[in-house]
Amino acid sequence: MPPFITFEGGEGCGKSYQARALHRRLTKQSIPAVLTHEPGGTTLGENITRWLKWRGDVPISAVGELLLFSASRNQLMEEFIIPKLNEGNVVICDRFYDSTLAYQGYGRGLDLDLIKTLNTLSTGGLKPSFTVLLDIPASDGLARKNKKRIDRFEKEAVVFHEQVRQGYLQLARNEPRRFLIIDALLPKNAVADIIQERVRRLINL
Ligand code: TMP
């Protein structure tokens, strides 16, 4: 099966930019590759995302939030990720289940083993082949965000986002072969080159 590559990191780390850049580079090299994102990527997922990110006026419990992210993920797996891998595409996903461990686990304090069980359920056990973690101090990342349009997660205190960051670093320490940690304060092009080089080795170009 072709590689399944995920991008992770806190707010303002630049992962969406880097996921798009990798997709562009692979496509330029005539490597079949598709790009998607979480939460969302399907009709159901985009509707769930609207509630999770933009309806700050509607209370959502921590467990409810976890279940909504999981529902969105399972739909994306069935509708997009599995079929695209089976067709021979490299699949690049902007956020995946490590976001749930970092945000709902380390951030909200929900039980990590429970989240892992739900992650297995929502993904059918598929794991990313390779995960880029763009690491940035929470305050630097938040300062990069557009202040005019702040979502429910960006409204959380800096300490929440710092817990998320430490959570990501712990996840990367637990699986050093899967994760590549990159300093997100490096220039964009330098970050893109590091990722491209690692992916080149992964797919034996
Ligand atoms: P973003 O990818 O545009 O930053 O927005 C997604 C937000 O949702 C971000 O704040 C992280 C959060 N999130 C979770 O809390 N858990 C998850 O499982 C996922 C995929 C995202």
Side-chain angles (χ1 to χ4, degrees):
M1 203 184 266
F4 172 39
I5 301 170
T6 58
F7 281 76
E8 295 283 359
E11 312 302 319
C13 69
K15 66 185 169 38
S16 304
Y17 174 92
Q18 293 297 340
R20 280 197 302 272
L22 177 63
H23 180 241
R24 255 196 321 273
R25 285 198 193 194
L26 292 177
T27 304
K28 238 184 185 169
Q29 291 166 310
S30 304
I31 296 165
V34 293
L35 173 64
T36 187
H37 61 271
E38 276 204 21
T42 64
T43 304
L44 177 68
E46 294 302 331
N47 279 291
I48 289 175
T49 302
R50 262 214 303 284
W51 283 85
L52 283 169
K53 283 178 71 172
W54 302 115
R55 292 297 305 269
D57 55 320
V58 175
I60 303 178
S61 68
V63 172
E65 185 180 277
L66 168 66
L67 294 171
L68 288 170
F69 278 117
S70 301
S72 170
R73 177 163 309 126
N74 183 248
Q75 194 62 34
L76 185 66
M77 293 301 299
E78 301 235 336
E79 231 181 278
F80 190 82
I81 294 179
I82 298 289
K84 291 295 178 192
L85 286 170
N86 285 338
E87 285 166 16
N89 298 281
V90 175
V91 174
I92 302 166
C93 196
D94 177 356
R95 291 199 185 280
F96 194 56
Y97 65 42
D98 295 301
S99 285
T100 315
L101 287 161
Y103 281 80
Q104 280 64 52
Y106 290 92
R108 299 265 190 247
L110 294 181
D111 183 73
L112 291 173
D113 287 330
L114 178 75
I115 296 175
K116 283 180 195 160
T117 303
L118 264 178
N119 284 348
T120 305
L121 178 71
S122 63
T123 61
L126 183 81
K127 291 187 172 178
S129 334
F130 168 56
T131 299
V132 177
L133 171 57
L134 290 167
D135 178 51
I136 190 165
S139 48
D140 291 291
L142 289 168
R144 287 177 172 185
K145 298 301 287 194
N146 176 0
K147 300 283 178 306
K148 289 198 194 111
R149 205 160 178 254
I150 304 248
D151 69 34
R152 214 161 58 85
F153 296 93
E154 290 158 1
K155 277 186 197 144
E156 290 289 340
V158 179
V159 293
F160 170 87
H161 290 286
E162 200 47 52
Q163 277 164 225
V164 169
R165 180 193 184 199
Q166 295 308 324
Y168 270 130
L169 291 171
Q170 185 59 51
L171 293 172
R173 279 194 291 274
N174 294 347
E175 288 183 79
R177 288 169 65 86
R178 172 161 73 89
F179 276 90
L180 171 66
I181 306 175
I182 305 177
D183 178 354
L185 293 174
L186 287 171
K188 278 179 181 176
N189 287 348
V191 173
D193 287 345
I194 296 169
I195 295 167
Q196 164 84 356
E197 173 53 23
R198 179 69 178 264
V199 171
R200 193 184 60 73
R201 278 189 278 140
L202 187 75
I203 54 185
N204 285 324
L205 276 180

